[in-house]
Amino acid sequence: MCSSDLSTGISIASASGLNLTPASVRATEAPSKLGQIFNFDAWLGLGGDPTGARARLQAAILSANAPDRNARRLDLAHYDFAIGSYAETLGVLEAIAADQRDVAEEPELKALRGAARLEMNDLAGAARDLMTPTLDGERDVAPWRGALAAAQQDWSGALRQFTRGDSVLSRYPADRKSTRLNSSHTDI
């Protein structure tokens, strides 16, 4: 990187180019409280061999004792989301809510439900979940908020969220690249 003093100002240059971030994006961000919310690789592994994976996860729910049942349901919801079965994801999350309403209001579940609703084109439901203040510091939610903003034609909001969560998208499997999430990202 080099700089030079010009009579009209200062010139700053780099052989590899400069990465300039708009001031609106540079704000200091709090570290994530929840960690990685969307972990497709781990979720795909929950069912083991893909042949019969969903049936195995359902059997685990049926054989679980009452205190562990929602944890097994969440495994199934994660797996369903990872394979693109969004309606099934929402159904499993509804079963969790019916059994234990307070668990269904946890930020991680709101993020998952909001993303599934977004993929099902339920923009109002997605906004209720994804825009909850408890998810404000979560970088993993930013791409989903970006896709929601794009669906609502809020282009500046979409750009801000995608810029914030750009590193998150690199962790997503290649087959996720064809979803609303990635197509919205590339449209911006």
Side-chain angles (χ1 to χ4, degrees), residues 55-159:
R56 280 191 297 282
L57 289 167
Q58 288 172 323
I61 294 168
L62 294 173
S63 65
N65 57 32
D68 295 330
R69 198 164 294 131
N70 277 339
R72 300 297 69 80
R73 284 180 178 141
L74 187 56
D75 288 345
L76 179 58
H78 284 149
Y79 179 79
D80 283 341
F81 189 86
I83 64 170
S85 296
Y86 308 114
E88 289 81 356
T89 301
L90 292 171
V92 174
L93 292 175
E94 285 176 24
I96 292 171
D99 193 37
Q100 204 173 0
R101 188 73 194 148
D102 59 323
V103 171
E105 295 305 310
E106 290 182 6
E108 298 95 329
L109 269 68
K110 282 188 162 205
L112 180 62
R113 187 175 57 221
R117 285 177 168 171
L118 179 63
E119 293 287 7
M120 296 290 297
N121 208 32
D122 174 6
L123 301 184
R128 277 192 307 275
D129 288 329
L130 292 173
M131 302 311 291
T132 186
T134 58
L135 294 174
D136 283 351
E138 303 306 324
R139 189 175 301 276
D140 262 26
V141 177
W144 298 98
R145 285 180 167 184
L148 175 62
Q152 296 169 329
Q153 298 185 357
D154 172 8
W155 306 118
S156 62
L159 179 60

